[in-house]
Amino acid sequence: MRVKRFFKKLLKEEHPPFEKAATEDDLLKKKQIDSSLADTMELFKKIYYVPNNSDVNIRYIEIGGIKKNAAVITISSISNTKLIEELVIRPLLINEDESKEIELLLSPQVRKADVIEDILVEINNGNTTLFVDGEPYAYIISSGNFQGRSVEKAENEVVVKGPKESFNEQAMTNISLIRKRIRDEKLIVESTTISKRAKNELYLVYIKDIANEELITNIKNKLNSLDIDSIQNLSVLEEYLEDHIYSLFPTILYTERPDRASEFIEDGFIVLLMDNSPDSLILPATFWSFFHNSEDHYLRFLFGNFIRILRLMALFITLFISAIYIAITNYHVEMIPADLLLAISSTREIVPFPSLVEILMLEIAFELIREGGLRVPKPIGPTIGIVGALILGQAAVQANLVSPLVVIIVALGGLSSFAIGDTNLNYTVRLLRFPFLISAGVFGLFGLTALFTICLLYVTSIKSFGVPYLAPMTPNDSTAKDTIFRRLVKNELFRPGYLKPKDIEKKAGE
């Protein structure tokens, strides 16, 4: 062992940890451009591999008024070429008035840049860059025109009563949807680059005089610590930000509804937006954030609370109904009335499998049918559900592989899971069913109770960016009462105290 440790130490000394050295391209990008137009164009042709890269368009022109050669670089697929042609190139070519040429170049809409890296970022964002011979800087004209979907209805978070708009893949459109709802000069949209090669932009949205500064600093530190080439969307970023990567319980809330994101912003939460992501991430997130639905406050007081009761019942039915059936039929038959016990026994007489195997077979089959219905084209999805649920279930009963009561129990548990609207919480509940099934099959109700207690203790120990996961229920927060039941809107006078917002009061009480 000593010899082995000696050689390991020797190898470490001879071969120190690899550090990524700055490449020639990295050093080149830090330099300023040359005032010679020919040299500058040769440099950018080399960077963009022109003419092999047919998407990059370099056009040479002569500015009419000041009689200077110039060049325009655009990426045609992401730039509004018609706009640049009409408002920039044609006026520069045709106009003979030197004062108007200078006025155009010094317009407030035109920015200057002299560092190669800054110019590359602008070109890659779809903006047009104008180089003039003899000038050691470039003119940047906004002309970005990325293609994307229009604002459509939300697909995953469907509501009957309430706004129907949802986020799309363009961050500027998503910010606009939030600003349409929060017309406050204190609404801050901060942008930061979170990847080195792809230069992906991330936007932090919060209200300056409400959001907690410590929370904002904590999130920024996590973002600044990222060292990766590319993060294409928020779904990937979520894994980098989570404190508990291997936990079944999500600690970052996903939503594709701008109205829901706006409500969280007004309460002091931080919202993350990003191009290529038709959704937003809300930080921090508690268990009740996933349990609640945006429609709870759109319905009348009694109706909203009734829906919450149904959702809570669906949560417990999904988690425990199959496990309780196994525990009672295997270990606690004295809890079942005699007539029901005889009925269950008569249906299971010809079934060759134990009840645990029987339930597991149906649960896995239900998950396969559900996943198959999600991944196939929409017209075929309902067909798969009908075939799987009716034909296969009925055939399994007639083939004496499962009992009819087990089909009813698994179907009830599966259907109840659809009442849990949040995607991440839905996956959590679906996965937790299997540990509960196994514990009930091995130890009965005692195993089921023990596992539930362990899960409860674990959930109380989780924090999301410093906020307890079960807040405001535990630790108790007197200012936030929106947990299982919601209050009247006029009685919701305070923002969540566990966020420690700068302004905790929403409005003055009556």
Side-chain angles (χ1 to χ4, degrees):
M1 291 295 292
R2 290 182 181 178
V3 176
K4 191 175 181 180
R5 285 198 296 268
F6 171 76
F7 278 107
K8 280 186 177 179
K9 184 178 179 181
L10 187 64
L11 286 171
K12 285 182 180 178
E13 290 175 355
E14 291 182 355
H15 304 281
F18 174 74
E19 294 183 1
K20 191 174 181 180
T23 63
E24 185 180 348
D25 288 343
D26 293 333
L27 296 175
L28 179 66
K29 291 177 182 178
K30 300 294 182 183
K31 293 182 179 180
Q32 294 182 334
I33 63 171
D34 195 282
S35 58
S36 170
L37 181 64
D39 294 343
T40 302
M41 288 301 99
E42 285 300 321
L43 175 62
F44 277 87
K45 284 180 180 179
K46 180 181 177 182
I47 292 174
Y48 279 107
Y49 300 96
V50 176
N52 293 335
N53 192 352
S54 60
D55 198 23
V56 179
N57 183 20
I58 299 179
R59 181 173 177 181
Y60 294 93
I61 62 173
E62 183 182 8
I63 300 178
I66 57 179
K67 301 297 182 181
K68 284 188 176 182
N69 292 325
V72 176
I73 297 181
T74 56
I75 299 179
S76 56
S77 60
I78 59 175
S79 300
N80 191 335
T81 53
K82 184 178 180 181
L83 175 71
I84 294 302
E85 181 72 27
E86 293 178 355
L87 299 183
V88 178
I89 295 179
R90 190 174 296 173
L92 290 176
L93 284 173
I94 298 174
N95 194 5
E96 295 294 336
D97 189 347
E98 182 178 345
S99 62
K100 289 187 177 181
E101 303 288 356
I102 296 173
E103 182 182 345
L104 176 64
L105 296 178
L106 297 180
S107 170
Q109 286 77 25
V110 179
R111 308 184 299 278
K112 292 182 180 180
D114 57 358
V115 179
I116 294 174
E117 186 176 25
D118 297 338
I119 296 172
L120 292 176
V121 169
E122 296 292 345
I123 296 175
N124 294 333
N125 284 335
N127 296 325
T128 298
T129 307
L130 173 67
F131 298 89
V132 180
D133 192 19
E135 297 186 4
Y137 45 79
Y139 298 94
I140 310 298
I141 304 103
S142 297
S143 61
N145 186 29
F146 290 92
Q147 300 300 314
R149 292 186 302 139
S150 60
V151 178
E152 300 174 358
K153 291 184 179 181
E155 293 186 6
N156 297 325
E157 298 175 81
V158 181
V159 296
V160 177
K161 185 179 180 181
K164 301 295 188 290
E165 291 175 329
S166 70
F167 290 131
N168 63 15
E169 285 78 8
Q170 297 184 19
M172 288 296 110
T173 303
N174 299 340
I175 294 171
S176 173
L177 291 172
I178 291 177
R179 284 200 176 274
K180 187 171 74 170
R181 290 163 171 80
I182 307 176
R183 305 187 183 189
D184 187 353
E185 65 278 5
K186 300 293 179 64
L187 180 65
I188 304 297
V189 180
E190 288 191 40
S191 65
T192 180
T193 304
I194 57 170
S195 58
K196 292 184 176 180
R197 181 178 292 273
K199 306 294 184 186
N200 304 114
E201 285 289 319
L202 179 74
Y203 299 89
L204 283 77
V205 187
Y206 59 92
I207 298 179
K208 183 68 175 177
D209 58 348
I210 294 178
N212 184 283
E213 287 292 342
E214 186 178 346
L215 176 61
I216 297 172
T217 304
N218 185 13
I219 294 171
K220 287 182 179 178
N221 290 339
K222 278 207 167 188
L223 292 172
N224 293 332
S225 66
L226 296 177
D227 185 15
I228 192 168
D229 280 350
S230 175
I231 298 177
Q232 287 297 331
N233 52 58
L234 290 172
S235 301
V236 177
L237 178 65
E238 183 178 356
E239 187 172 318
Y240 287 98
L241 293 180
E242 279 187 317
D243 293 324
H244 309 276
I245 300 174
Y246 299 105
S247 174
L248 276 177
F249 296 91
T251 54
I252 297 177
L253 179 61
Y254 155 99
T255 182
E256 60 181 7
R257 299 186 58 85
D259 56 319
R260 192 180 186 193
S262 300
E263 288 177 3
F264 278 101
I265 291 173
E266 290 175 326
D267 281 340
F269 291 81
I270 315 297
V271 169
L272 304 184
L273 297 171
M274 190 174 173
D275 278 320
N276 308 317
S277 293
D279 48 54
S280 65
L281 296 182
I282 298 172
L283 313 174
T286 65
F287 172 80
W288 305 107
S289 304
F290 298 95
F291 176 73
H292 297 160
N293 190 289
S294 55
E295 198 172 19
D296 294 346
H297 283 79
Y298 298 148
L299 295 172
R300 296 185 64 199
F301 174 71
L302 292 177
F303 303 159
N305 282 320
F306 172 68
I307 293 298
R308 283 196 178 179
I309 293 171
L310 287 181
R311 197 178 303 132
L312 188 64
M313 290 174 57
L315 177 65
F316 278 94
I317 289 172
T318 304
L319 276 176
F320 299 118
I321 187 168
S322 298
I324 289 174
Y325 170 80
I326 291 174
I328 290 178
T329 53
N330 286 358
Y331 298 97
H332 310 282
V333 291
E334 67 278 0
M335 298 176 63
I336 307 175
D339 294 340
L340 180 59
L341 181 60
L342 289 173
I344 294 174
S345 301
S346 63
T347 58
R348 295 204 70 256
E349 281 180 348
I350 52 179
V351 176
F353 303 110
S355 58
L356 177 60
V357 175
E358 191 181 1
I359 288 277
L360 283 174
M361 285 171 53
L362 277 182
E363 289 282 2
I364 293 172
F366 191 91
E367 293 297 328
L368 289 172
I369 294 169
R370 188 206 303 244
E371 196 65 20
L374 285 174
R375 306 303 169 192
V376 298
K378 282 187 178 180
I380 310 175
T383 306
I384 288 181
I386 294 171
V387 170
L390 296 180
I391 299 177
L392 292 181
Q394 184 65 28
V397 172
Q398 291 181 350
N400 299 325
L401 295 177
V402 294
S403 61
L405 183 58
V406 169
V407 174
I408 294 172
I409 288 172
V410 172
L412 181 59
L415 291 174
S416 298
S417 68
F418 289 111
I420 304 169
D422 185 84
T423 305
N424 286 330
L425 184 61
N426 193 286
Y427 276 109
T428 298
V429 172
R430 286 163 59 184
L431 284 172
L432 277 176
R433 282 189 300 178
F434 292 98
F436 281 124
L437 281 172
I438 295 171
S439 63
V442 177
F443 300 106
L445 287 178
F446 298 105
L448 186 61
T449 306
L451 183 58
F452 178 71
T453 305
I454 292 171
C455 288
L456 201 59
L457 292 173
Y458 173 72
V459 169
T460 55
S461 69
I462 297 176
K463 288 187 177 181
S464 174
F465 294 89
V467 174
Y469 196 61
L470 288 182
M473 179 172 284
T474 176
N476 186 35
D477 183 3
S478 59
T479 61
K481 298 294 184 182
D482 189 13
T483 51
I484 298 176
F485 300 103
R486 80 168 180 87
R487 306 173 74 179
L488 290 169
V489 175
K490 66 178 182 179
N491 293 335
E492 293 182 356
L493 306 179
F494 301 100
R495 295 183 173 88
Y498 53 83
L499 292 176
K500 299 178 182 177
K502 294 177 183 177
D503 183 8
I504 197 169
E505 196 169 342
K506 287 186 178 179
K507 59 183 178 180
E510 297 178 356

